[in-house]
Amino acid sequence: MLKELLRRVASCGSRGDIEAELLAIRDLIRDGRPAGDAALAAYLSRHPHDPKALHLRGLVEFERGQLAQAAASIRFAVEFDPDSPIYRANLGMVLERMGRFGEARTHLEAAVDAEPGLASALHNLVALLLAMGEPAAASARLQTGLAQALPDVDLARLHVTLAGLAERVPGVDALTHLQQAAMLDPSQPAIALLRFRPMALLCDWSYPAAELARFFEDLADLADPASAPMLAPYLAECVATSRRARFAAARRSAMHYEAGAASAGPLRTPGPVARDGRIRVGYLSSDLHHHPTMQLLRGMLAAHDREAFCWHAFSAGPDDGSALRREAVAAFDSFHDIRAMPARDAANLIAGQGIDILIDLKGYTGDARTEIVALRPAPLQVSFLGYPGTMAAGFIDYLIADRIVVPPGDEQWYSEQVVTLPDCYQPNDREQGIAPERPSREAEGLPAGAFVFASFNATYKIEPRVFSVWMHILLEVPGSVLWLLAGDERARSNLRREAAARGVDPGRLVMAGIVPKERHLARIALADLCLDTLLVNGHTTGSDVLWAGLPMITFLGDSFGSRVGASLLHAVGLEELVCADAAAYEALAITLAGDAARLRELRHRLAVNRLNAPLFDTLAYARHFEAALAEMHARRQQGAVPAAFCVRRGARA
């Protein structure tokens, strides 16, 4: 990094010639020669107010990890030359690393405003705004940079970054920006592959699924995976690649975070923590507000044992003022808002709290703070709930699973030690409210007498194969309709077009609007049968339909994410609705549509089981989960390395 920073110093010549002596000193330091430091000190003794020399000293101090000294040196440079954008930009960079986000933002904004073409300052400012939880402000800066189209700015990179904000900032169209980026930089094939997710969300199946699958397969063959572009491992789950390719995708991401942690150096040694005999557990998440993850966790968090455990939350997400946010805060002994903290500061906070077990609820999903976990702030670290697969990372010790999502023999594809819970790995809230009044079919746009198939999973999970199966089911069940949750009109239009191409009247697709959760749960029961998606099942949505009393059929895949539906059905006593393959899935759906008595029996059994079977037994789940944590902790106390184990039914901490 130092050589790059010093190269930037040399580029300042347009803002005033650097004296020959200072140029020579810069070269000595750049080449790592000891005389450089002494020469710079001597120069500053003669020219104490030379901003170029002060700036150079600050960069050297920054590279050596002397952040406070670096900030002081560059601040002096700014005072003596307040009109220099690069001085302000680098001061902002140092302050950001120190965790002084407000000051860093002031200087980075001043640098970008003074010289919009200063690409490093713009990118650092955007990253800072995102770290501060201000995606809208980051988006505005990116769009301004794109509008100015300055020659020194990597416009393709700006488009890619802006595309990544599409799901958090209204009005940002990811696909448009990725297409622009691909045209601007055709030398980067990974940019084109990023189109998969926004196109999948729109059910535009001209996306490069085959190329994406091939990318991950090729990645598994590379001797040096770190040399390849990094794409979100979750994409591998969505294109049905092999176990080997899915592991390679996760490993590539893990290497990125491991390298970042190695360059950051060790954390501060935590001071003594007052111990009261309780195991100190921390949850790290960006979803402790009105979010599907919090909806799943709500009951378990409230049921946690506070006598045997001390519970800490490290929240990297927004405070949305919702009831779920208030319940999240109340559920923990300590709630730490780390949204505006740099990764290193957050990791030092976790370490300073004496956390014995850190639970990462995000993995490699959106808004994750994986860089914090990579710094190893806790002696035991666990992947749970948010990411359906291996993280392939040396900084994660355990994965919480069950015998369905990670069956015997699949452990070889997980770097973590697999902890198998006795029923379903997924927690659920048996107190989740359902609106007391169920709407009519007419109010939801459903035909009164038709057989209604439903699938409320996210549109990116609807891929061509499962849609073709669904359309064949509709053709075999006359008068039936398929009820889908697709909010974007482009997705609705694409689905109708694809139905017509398969010989199905597009009018047989009914699109559900977005409504509050309690109302959604009330309307689910209007359907007759839920059809799960195949490559990535419904997770929270699968629990929702079962809690609402609607039977669901699913297909047992070969990945964690494609086996969640089966796990849910086994845990609620409806395992006969788990199909071995797509043909069996299709046949079962058609059979059930023609067998009203069997469907009534399934509904009745589900109505009984939802309050008696393990899936919605929140208290028992909490005890099993805590037993798993206690076993992890006990093994460490005994000096044993992490090892896989199963939690027996009825176990307690």
Side-chain angles (χ1 to χ4, degrees):
M1 179 182 288
L2 177 58
K3 290 183 179 180
E4 171 62 18
L5 293 171
L6 293 172
R7 184 193 63 75
R8 293 183 197 169
V9 173
S11 72
C12 294
S14 60
R15 287 178 287 275
D17 292 336
I18 301 176
E19 292 83 347
E21 182 181 358
L22 192 55
L23 277 169
I25 294 169
R26 182 206 67 198
D27 292 339
L28 287 171
I29 296 173
R30 181 183 58 197
D31 295 337
R33 297 170 66 178
D37 286 355
L40 180 57
Y43 181 93
L44 278 167
S45 69
R46 299 192 308 275
H47 309 284
H49 299 160
D50 187 328
K52 295 179 289 296
L54 290 164
H55 181 235
L56 175 60
R57 183 176 70 185
L59 296 181
V60 173
E61 291 164 336
F62 175 78
E63 179 66 18
R64 294 172 180 170
Q66 300 166 331
L67 299 184
Q69 296 95 316
S73 294
I74 302 176
R75 194 185 299 277
F76 280 132
V78 170
E79 289 177 5
F80 292 123
D81 187 0
D83 297 326
S84 169
I86 197 166
Y87 296 171
R88 283 188 173 273
N90 285 337
L91 179 56
M93 176 182 64
V94 176
L95 291 168
E96 182 275 333
R97 188 68 62 86
M98 296 174 70
R100 293 159 66 173
F101 280 9
E103 291 178 82
R105 177 176 183 172
T106 296
H107 289 287
L108 285 168
E109 286 182 333
V112 171
D113 290 341
E115 189 175 329
L118 195 56
S120 60
L122 176 58
H123 290 300
N124 286 342
L125 175 58
V126 168
L128 176 65
L129 291 170
L130 291 175
M132 295 177 72
E134 297 190 33
S139 172
R141 282 289 178 178
L142 286 165
Q143 294 188 43
T144 299
L146 288 169
Q148 291 169 330
L150 296 159
D152 293 335
V153 175
D154 184 348
L155 297 180
R157 182 179 172 190
L158 294 188
H159 277 294
V160 170
T161 306
L162 191 52
L165 300 180
E167 294 181 43
R168 289 189 283 167
V169 180
V172 176
D173 187 89
L175 187 55
T176 298
H177 288 291
L178 289 173
Q179 289 170 335
Q180 288 291 323
M183 287 190 294
L184 287 165
D185 191 358
S187 67
Q188 297 293 329
I191 294 177
L193 297 179
L194 289 172
R195 293 177 297 154
F196 173 84
R197 181 169 173 82
M199 293 177 77
L201 282 166
L202 297 177
C203 300
D204 178 350
W205 297 328
S206 61
Y207 50 54
E211 293 91 332
L212 187 60
R214 190 159 50 249
F215 170 87
F216 288 122
E217 292 290 347
D218 291 344
L219 180 63
D221 293 327
L222 289 178
D224 179 19
S227 64
M230 189 175 76
L231 296 181
Y234 192 60
L235 293 178
E237 300 284 339
C238 300
V239 292
T241 54
S242 66
R243 292 174 174 87
R244 178 170 166 269
R246 287 193 292 268
F247 185 90
R251 183 64 198 137
R252 173 65 187 90
S253 286
M255 293 172 73
H256 165 78
Y257 290 108
E258 287 167 354
S263 66
L267 299 176
R268 290 196 306 266
T269 301
V273 176
R275 293 282 177 176
D276 56 9
R278 295 187 295 171
I279 302 171
R280 301 173 73 84
V281 180
Y283 283 92
L284 173 63
S285 180
S286 300
D287 301 334
L288 300 177
H289 53 272
H290 190 78
H291 187 279
T293 297
M294 183 58 199
Q295 291 166 4
L296 292 175
L297 286 170
R298 174 180 173 266
M300 182 181 79
L301 295 181
H304 267 328
D305 179 353
R306 291 195 176 184
E307 292 186 3
F309 298 87
C310 180
W311 303 98
H312 289 250
F314 299 95
S315 172
D319 179 355
D320 60 359
S322 65
L324 278 174
R325 174 67 169 199
R326 293 191 294 274
E327 290 181 33
V329 173
F332 291 93
D333 294 281
S334 296
F335 193 96
H336 310 271
D337 188 341
I338 63 167
R339 179 175 38 164
M341 281 189 187
R344 190 175 183 77
D345 287 358
N348 278 319
L349 172 65
I350 293 167
Q353 294 295 317
I355 299 301
D356 297 304
I357 304 173
L358 180 65
I359 300 171
D360 178 24
L361 290 168
K362 295 297 294 182
Y364 296 132
T365 58
D367 297 326
R369 296 296 301 274
T370 314
E371 69 277 12
I372 296 173
V373 193
L375 289 167
R376 265 284 180 186
L380 290 177
Q381 302 194 150
V382 181
S383 178
F384 171 56
L385 189 61
Y387 186 68
T390 183
M391 291 184 69
F395 50 83
I396 296 291
D397 303 296
Y398 290 101
L399 169 75
I400 302 293
D402 61 54
R403 62 186 174 85
I404 304 293
V405 292
V406 182
D410 269 19
E411 299 94 342
Q412 63 180 308
W413 300 110
Y414 291 81
S415 64
E416 305 88 350
Q417 297 300 315
V418 177
V419 175
T420 303
L421 296 185
D423 300 299
C424 181
Y425 83 101
Q426 181 177 288
N428 281 282
D429 177 19
R430 76 183 289 125
E431 301 300 326
Q432 186 170 204
I434 300 178
E437 293 185 6
R438 189 168 79 181
S440 66
R441 280 193 167 187
E442 182 182 24
E444 293 295 328
L446 297 166
F451 190 95
V452 177
F453 295 102
S455 186
F456 300 110
N457 291 346
T459 48
Y460 76 86
K461 298 181 181 181
I462 304 174
E463 37 79 38
R465 181 176 64 148
V466 74
F467 192 76
S468 293
V469 170
W470 289 350
M471 293 305 97
H472 193 257
I473 291 170
L474 291 185
L475 290 173
E476 292 295 314
V477 182
S480 62
V481 298
L482 177 60
W483 195 16
L484 300 170
L485 188 63
D488 192 296
E489 185 53 45
R490 292 170 293 178
R492 296 182 176 197
S493 177
N494 286 333
L495 287 168
R496 293 186 181 109
R497 185 190 67 248
E498 294 290 346
R502 289 163 173 78
V504 174
D505 177 0
R508 294 176 71 181
L509 302 187
V510 180
M511 304 301 176
I514 305 298
V515 297
K517 182 67 176 288
E518 290 190 357
R519 285 181 55 197
H520 175 60
L521 290 172
R523 72 182 177 180
I524 285 174
L526 296 173
D528 296 295
L529 182 64
C530 177
L531 303 176
D532 199 7
T533 43
L534 304 185
L535 294 180
V536 182
N537 299 158
H539 297 184
T540 308
T541 49
S543 293
D544 286 346
V545 298
L546 296 173
W547 180 244
L550 179 64
M552 174 182 76
I553 64 172
T554 193
F555 170 87
L556 191 65
D558 69 351
S559 67
F560 190 126
S562 65
R563 301 175 71 89
V564 172
S567 176
L568 298 174
L569 288 168
H570 274 268
V572 82
L574 295 179
E575 55 269 20
E576 71 264 40
L577 300 183
V578 179
C579 303
D581 53 37
Y585 172 102
E586 181 179 310
L588 180 59
I590 294 167
T591 297
L592 289 175
D595 191 340
R598 185 178 175 192
L599 205 53
R600 281 195 301 272
E601 188 277 328
L602 285 169
R603 276 187 177 266
H604 174 73
R605 187 157 25 119
L606 178 56
V608 173
N609 288 0
R610 65 194 286 272
L611 295 179
N612 295 289
L615 184 61
F616 297 108
D617 190 341
T618 307
L619 187 60
Y621 182 96
R623 299 293 87 86
H624 292 151
F625 186 82
E626 291 160 357
L629 299 181
E631 176 68 14
M632 296 175 197
H633 183 67
R635 290 180 181 224
R636 179 174 177 272
Q637 294 296 98
Q638 295 161 8
V641 298
F645 62 90
C646 296
V647 177
R648 62 177 176 80
R649 185 172 285 107
R652 300 174 67 92

